[in-house]
Structures are given as structure tokens and as C-alpha cells.
Amino acid sequence: MTKALAPGATIGIVGGGQLGRMLAMAAARLGYHTAVLEPDRNCPAAEVTGLHISAPFDNGKALERFASVSDVVTYEFENVPVSAVRSLNEQLPVYPPPEALEAAQDRLAEKIFLNSAGVSTAPFASVDNDEELARALARFGGRGVLKTRRMGYDGKGQRVFRSATREEVKGCFAHMGGVPLVLEGLMAFEREISVIAARAADGSMVAYDPAENVHRDGILFRSTVPAAISPTTAETAREAAFTILSALGYVGVIGVEFFVMANGTLIANEFAPRVHNSGHWTEAACLVSQFEQHIRAVAGLPLGSTTRHADCVMTNLLGAEQEQATALLAEPDVMLHLYGKAEARPGRKMGHYTRLLPLDGELRHNPAGGSASLQKG
């Protein structure tokens, strides 16, 4: 794509979850139509898009129709068949490139790529049976995180070893599904952070301030900005994200997760070739959200400002926690976003809210009961 999409063009989105929904909303603000390819007839994005093609991602006829109505295609999650994305890319531009999707889908390939790009990771080993697991754990001092190489997310498909015994290892490969696995060394880190960054087709790049993340049961619970890290560590994280973007010839928004060690150095955990849960705060605390940033990039528009106008804390609402909505809406400093999902299952992301604070980190309310003041002093 050599020039920006004109208003009225259609951006195709593969996947109709909450990220697809928020991308479609951002596209509409910039004057674009959207089409969504998603098997689930009741997906969150269906309510806000102009066209919902309800079919499997690898359905040939659906892909043909999807390509025929789209001017450019993107995707909202990484568990999409690479073959389908490559098929679309033969007909029209697809951003981020299929190579980014392919690298992110396989945790072993992802670690190899990151190391080849000069980005440090935890030590890792491929595991295809119990014997290989035992040998790898011996190298890592009996400590490690065993993960399925593919299809894992939100803590699924993982097992932690802190002092592995022979009995713990026996039968583990079969218990994990008998699928290819990767063992990662268990790192003694101080905190987890993530960087949301973006790259345009012309090579220009921007990054938001790192967020400090807290997980519960493998699911992101809360992101706080700014993270409690030094300016040097923050800049190192942004530069690592830029290195990854450049190495992939990337176009769009990426989320990169890091472990922060006691000395301030960084170990990359993983990257997501899409907008990211830990970047939802940007819609409340920045002029240009990660969702608009992604649409700008894939549409060939100039990238926007990543400057914050506030400190903030973003919290996910899981399952029945969405019942807090009314109380949250009564707070003057809170922006609430619900995803329109019909069923509130335990652990299911139903929405999120972002509480704004002044840039000095102290929340101050208007004495008259109005909106919060963001002034210092």
C-alpha cells in the first residue's frame, strides 16, 4: 500500500472478540468501514461492524468474500491459521505481516526469533517427551515453566516446576496433551512490564510508556502507568520493542512483555502481534489510543502522539465483576468499557475500567463533587 486509505474504505478484521470490537470502533471514528471474519455469530465485534462474515477462518469461500470487500486486512488475535492470512495476503495487504503471526504462534520459534534479533529471553528448551523434560529441568536447576508451544493464552497450557522430582515429570508430556512443548527457565524477576509500540509502513515508530502488570491465575488483572522502573529501563524496553518491529518489517501495533530483574535489566517474555490488553489504558489516558494507532498504521495514516495526559490504573472485569459497572460509573475519574458479551463466565474478560490520576500520581477530586482535577500543586 503506497498511499493512505481514503475515508469510506473498508478495513477487514480477522477475529471478532473485544479487540476486534475496539478496532472497529476506532476505525469508525476515522471514517472507515469494517468487515469482520469470525465464526461466532454473537461475537462482540458483530454489534459495531458493517459486515460480519460468520464462517471458519480457513473457509475458502468466506476468505474470498472477505478479501473482495476489504481494502486492507488486519487481525485481532494470534491463534488464526497462518495459511488463511497468507492466502489473504496474496490478494491484498495484510498487516501485521504473516511472518509476525507465524513467529508469535509458536513459543519456541518466538524465543529463537527474539534471541536472533538481540533481545534477551529466559533460557529455554524444546520438549517432546518426558525424558527431554527431565534433562531440561536438570539444566535449569529443577525450576521452569512448561508451556504448550501453540494455542496457549491467559495462563492456559502451562505448568510450573519449582523443584521437580522424577514423579512430577513422569507422564507430564501426556498430561499436557502430548503436543510440542517448551520449557522456560524460572526467572527471579521484580516485576512485569509491557510496552505497546507501533510501526508504520514508512518505518516510523512510536511507543507508549511501559505499564506495570499484575496477573491473577495467569490472566492480566491490572496495569499501572507509569511502571515503577527507572527511565533507563523504560527506554531500554521501548528500544527493544523497536528492534522487534524493525526485524519483522512490522506494520501496526505490537505488545511486548518483559520481566524486570533486580538490577533493572530486561528479559523478554513474549510479544503479541496485535493490540494488547495491557494497553487498554491508552484509550483513557492518551489522545490517541492503541486502537486508533493500529488503524492509523494499517491505513497508511501518520502515527499519532503517545503522550499521556494522566497517570492511570487499568483493571480487567472478569465474569460477574461486570456487575460493578453502575458503581464504577458513579466515580468521576473512571472510564468504563464493557464488551457486550452475553454470558459472564468465571475468568472471562467482560470489560475493563481505567482510573485516571494526575501526572504526579495523587488522585484529587473536585470539592464540589465534579470531575477530578488533573492539576499539580
Side-chain angles (χ1 to χ4, degrees), residues 170-186:
K170 185 178 179 180
C172 190
F173 181 74
H175 181 74
M176 293 284 288
V179 298
L181 306 172
V182 61
L183 181 72
E184 301 173 10
L186 203 58

Side-chain angles (χ1 to χ4, degrees), residues 131-276:
E131 291 73 22
E132 289 183 355
L133 173 59
R135 288 195 294 270
L137 280 168
R139 294 206 312 271
F140 298 162
R143 296 163 53 83
V145 184
L146 185 65
K147 302 178 180 180
T148 55
R149 283 173 53 176
R150 293 180 174 272
M151 303 299 286
Y153 64 96
D154 284 346
K156 297 178 176 65
Q158 298 187 17
R159 179 170 177 176
V160 178
F161 295 92
R162 299 192 184 278
S163 57
T165 64
R166 184 180 297 274
E167 285 303 311
E168 283 184 279
V169 171
K170 185 178 179 180
C172 190
F173 181 74
H175 181 74
M176 293 284 288
V179 298
L181 306 172
V182 61
L183 181 72
E184 301 173 10
L186 203 58
M187 307 300 293
F189 59 89
E190 286 201 333
R191 52 184 45 85
E192 297 178 57
I193 66 169
S194 59
V195 171
I196 307 301
R199 184 177 184 273
D202 65 4
S204 58
M205 295 182 287
V206 296
Y208 294 91
D209 289 338
E212 183 169 337
N213 303 318
V214 175
H215 292 78
R216 291 184 177 176
D217 298 323
I219 302 173
L220 180 66
F221 168 62
R222 178 169 291 161
S223 295
T224 300
V225 184
I229 56 177
S230 70
T232 299
T233 298
E235 183 59 25
T236 300
R238 284 189 285 264
E239 289 300 322
F242 290 158
T243 295
I244 295 168
L245 290 172
S246 297
L248 290 168
Y250 201 92
V251 175
V253 162
I254 195 170
V256 187
E257 299 178 357
F258 299 94
F259 299 131
V260 182
M261 311 308 286
N263 62 359
T265 60
L266 296 173
I267 297 293
N269 179 30
E270 62 183 21
F271 71 87
R274 53 171 171 81
V275 289
H276 197 258

Side-chain angles (χ1 to χ4, degrees), residues 84-169:
V85 174
R86 289 195 182 281
S87 173
L88 289 167
N89 199 36
E90 292 174 357
Q91 304 171 68
L92 74 169
V94 175
Y95 302 126
E99 293 75 15
L101 180 66
E102 193 165 27
Q105 282 188 350
D106 185 319
R107 287 190 170 100
L108 179 62
E110 179 184 43
K111 296 284 189 293
I112 293 171
F113 161 74
L114 288 171
N115 287 177
S116 70
V119 178
S120 298
T121 64
F124 59 91
S126 176
V127 171
D128 291 314
N129 52 57
D130 289 347
E131 291 73 22
E132 289 183 355
L133 173 59
R135 288 195 294 270
L137 280 168
R139 294 206 312 271
F140 298 162
R143 296 163 53 83
V145 184
L146 185 65
K147 302 178 180 180
T148 55
R149 283 173 53 176
R150 293 180 174 272
M151 303 299 286
Y153 64 96
D154 284 346
K156 297 178 176 65
Q158 298 187 17
R159 179 170 177 176
V160 178
F161 295 92
R162 299 192 184 278
S163 57
T165 64
R166 184 180 297 274
E167 285 303 311
E168 283 184 279
V169 171

Side-chain angles (χ1 to χ4, degrees), residues 40-120:
D40 183 2
R41 293 183 180 276
N42 299 312
C43 67
E47 299 177 348
V48 298
T49 189
L51 174 64
H52 174 206
I53 299 175
S54 179
F57 296 122
D58 56 358
N59 181 283
K61 290 185 177 179
L63 288 170
E64 287 181 12
R65 184 184 179 205
F66 185 61
S68 71
V69 301
S70 303
D71 294 289
V72 66
V73 165
T74 189
Y75 43 90
E76 60 115 34
F77 76 126
E78 54 267 45
N79 289 331
V80 180
V82 173
S83 59
V85 174
R86 289 195 182 281
S87 173
L88 289 167
N89 199 36
E90 292 174 357
Q91 304 171 68
L92 74 169
V94 175
Y95 302 126
E99 293 75 15
L101 180 66
E102 193 165 27
Q105 282 188 350
D106 185 319
R107 287 190 170 100
L108 179 62
E110 179 184 43
K111 296 284 189 293
I112 293 171
F113 161 74
L114 288 171
N115 287 177
S116 70
V119 178
S120 298

